[in-house]
Amino acid sequence: MKPVSRKQGEGFIQVGVETYGGGLWHTYLLLGFDRDLSIAGRVMVKTEKEDFVQKLVKIARPILRIPTLAIHLDRQETFTFNKETQLFPIAGLVAAELNRTAEAPEATAQDSSDASNIPSDGSFAPTKVPHERHHPHIMELIANEANVPSSSIVDFELILYDTHPACIGGLNNEFIFSARLDNLGMSYCSVTSLINSLSSPSALDNERCIRLISLFDHEEIGSTTAQGADSNLLPSIIRRLSVVGPGSDQTDTAYEQTLATSFLVSADMAHSVNPNYASKYENDHKPEMNKGTVIKINANARYATNSAGITLIQEVARRTKVPLQLFVVRNDSSCGSTIGPMLAASLGTRTLDLGNPQLSMHSIRETGGVYDVGYAVRLFESFFEHFGELEGKIFVD
């Protein structure tokens, strides 16, 4: 939602929104499959003690929808639209809202006077107060979810999401239909495998390595944020970990030695072959769903994988008997990338890119394989358990 999201047009209440990342925006609109949308995110609240705290909110019911134009009114062969003027969702009808609040029609007009800078407590506000910038009814819904008075909301970061829940599908329940598989899918596998690798009380008795996962934000917009992979978060954590604990190396080069003996698995979802667009894939590298995690390779270093890394991950997979697949793009096709090359360059750590295969990446509804989740969890669990042993057996000059 935009900082000032309050809009209306032709009798509709609308909400101003800003696009994020490289979405397949037509999947939010195309073919009449208008989505049931709601909002979720972080709300900053002023407490009675005049502290400012964050509250996480998620309005579960659909309150927004981006309507398409009927095909009878616009028979364009290629679906195009203006993201600034034709992507505003509708939230209700002005008349219905007036009846609900029993307000006069003129009360719905946005007040551009200085009075909009005066909160309910009479103090001065540098910007317009939230109730002026956003529809009051939406503010009420947000306040109810946060369990706070509406007047205590100072600001928020809210995004639109599809309320349709994830589900298992396919004739034999072999598919996962869900939003945001890229990259919540591999995030889930990473967290689950780390927990599983520590299930035994003696799991770390003979462990000389630190088992670590990092879940970064903003990969789709370049990672150059405080919580993105291009920040100093991971290097800072590794630097601190490299000089703590019994038996740790307290030399001036402990951090550099740690990086040299570490291995980074960059886990980001991969592309499954799409039967309707099979020609878009390299003939000998067509990953299939439910046939194992995909190792991603690119000669131009769009992925950070190399032969030493493949050797290691194959041995890890062999220990737990899970299949792996290989993927490269066609020479006449562009290639996506991940945070793998970025972190490999900044850390100087051996890195490999992999991910589970999926269809419709960046769509509002993506498709993954049920069995690939189990394969990835077992693969990562084996990596945590066996890396210390295998690392010393792979020699590269």
Side-chain angles (χ1 to χ4, degrees), residues 24-30 33-35 37 66 362-364:
L24 292 179
W25 302 116
H26 64 278
T27 66
Y28 288 69
L29 301 164
L30 194 54
F33 295 118
D34 297 356
R35 310 303 301 191
L37 304 175
I66 304 172
H362 292 196
S363 171
I364 197 169

Side-chain angles (χ1 to χ4, degrees), residues 329-396:
V329 298
R330 292 169 53 101
N331 285 322
D332 57 0
S333 172
S334 60
C335 181
S337 190
T338 70
I339 62 174
M342 179 188 300
L343 288 173
S346 64
L347 297 174
T349 298
R350 296 166 294 176
T351 304
L352 178 136
D353 272 296
L354 53 68
N356 280 349
Q358 70 160 90
L359 293 170
S360 306
M361 187 176 289
H362 292 196
S363 171
I364 197 169
R365 296 289 287 185
E366 300 173 333
T367 301
V370 167
Y371 302 109
D372 288 326
V373 175
Y375 288 145
V377 169
R378 288 166 54 194
L379 178 69
F380 295 164
E381 187 176 347
S382 179
F383 173 77
F384 286 129
E385 293 174 350
H386 300 296
F387 171 73
E389 169 201 353
L390 293 172
E391 190 273 335
K393 294 184 176 182
I394 300 175
F395 299 96
V396 178

Side-chain angles (χ1 to χ4, degrees), residues 43-47 51-55 146 148 152-154:
V43 178
M44 296 302 298
V45 175
K46 186 177 182 179
T47 68
D51 295 326
F52 298 91
V53 299
Q54 74 167 22
K55 299 276 188 177
V148 299
S152 68
I153 296 176
V154 179

Side-chain angles (χ1 to χ4, degrees), residues 20-21 217-225 228-231 338-339 342:
Y20 172 91
D217 198 0
H218 296 152
E219 187 264 347
E220 299 297 349
I221 56 173
S223 298
T224 55
T225 62
D230 203 24
S231 69
T338 70
I339 62 174
M342 179 188 300

Side-chain angles (χ1 to χ4, degrees), residues 73-287:
L73 302 177
D74 187 10
R75 296 183 180 275
Q76 55 180 320
E77 293 184 3
T78 302
F79 182 77
T80 60
F81 61 96
N82 186 298
K83 289 188 288 187
E84 177 57 31
T85 61
Q86 297 172 326
L87 199 62
F88 294 140
I90 57 174
L93 293 172
V94 173
E97 183 66 8
L98 290 175
N99 291 334
R100 185 186 76 90
T101 60
E103 292 178 346
E106 58 268 18
T108 63
Q110 296 189 36
D111 184 2
S112 60
S113 68
D114 290 340
S116 62
N117 288 61
I118 302 177
S120 58
D121 61 3
S123 62
F124 174 75
T127 62
K128 285 186 177 181
V129 295
H131 276 80
E132 287 293 327
R133 295 189 279 124
H134 309 284
H135 288 289
H137 197 172
I138 291 179
M139 293 294 297
E140 292 175 22
L141 294 176
I142 296 169
N144 289 339
E145 287 296 319
N147 196 27
V148 299
S150 180
S151 58
S152 68
I153 296 176
V154 179
D155 203 68
F156 52 67
E157 301 165 57
L158 297 177
I159 63 170
L160 276 61
Y161 76 95
D162 183 9
T163 58
H164 188 185
C167 63
I168 303 298
L171 293 175
N172 298 291
N173 291 322
E174 62 265 61
F175 297 138
I176 302 172
F177 302 137
S178 175
R180 302 177 296 279
L181 284 177
D182 177 36
N183 189 40
L184 292 182
M186 300 314 292
S187 299
Y188 170 82
C189 294
S190 301
V191 173
T192 302
S193 64
L194 179 62
I195 295 171
N196 291 352
S197 76
L198 302 172
S199 59
S200 170
S202 60
L204 299 179
D205 284 357
N206 298 310
E207 182 63 270
R208 64 182 183 86
C209 299
I210 294 175
R211 301 176 185 182
L212 171 69
I213 61 173
S214 297
L215 308 178
F216 292 105
D217 198 0
H218 296 152
E219 187 264 347
E220 299 297 349
I221 56 173
S223 298
T224 55
T225 62
Q227 59 268 42
D230 203 24
S231 69
N232 71 341
L233 174 63
L234 185 57
S236 296
I237 291 174
I238 295 176
R239 184 181 297 277
R240 295 172 66 184
L241 290 175
S242 65
V243 293
V244 299
S248 61
D249 189 344
Q250 300 293 332
T251 67
D252 292 339
T253 60
Y255 171 64
E256 288 75 13
Q257 292 177 41
T258 298
L259 295 179
T261 56
S262 297
F263 193 92
L264 172 66
V265 175
S266 171
D268 197 358
M269 294 291 282
H271 299 291
S272 167
V273 63
N274 186 321
N276 295 329
Y277 301 91
S279 62
K280 296 292 186 179
Y281 300 79
E282 206 280 332
N283 283 337
D284 298 316
H285 300 86
K286 295 180 177 180

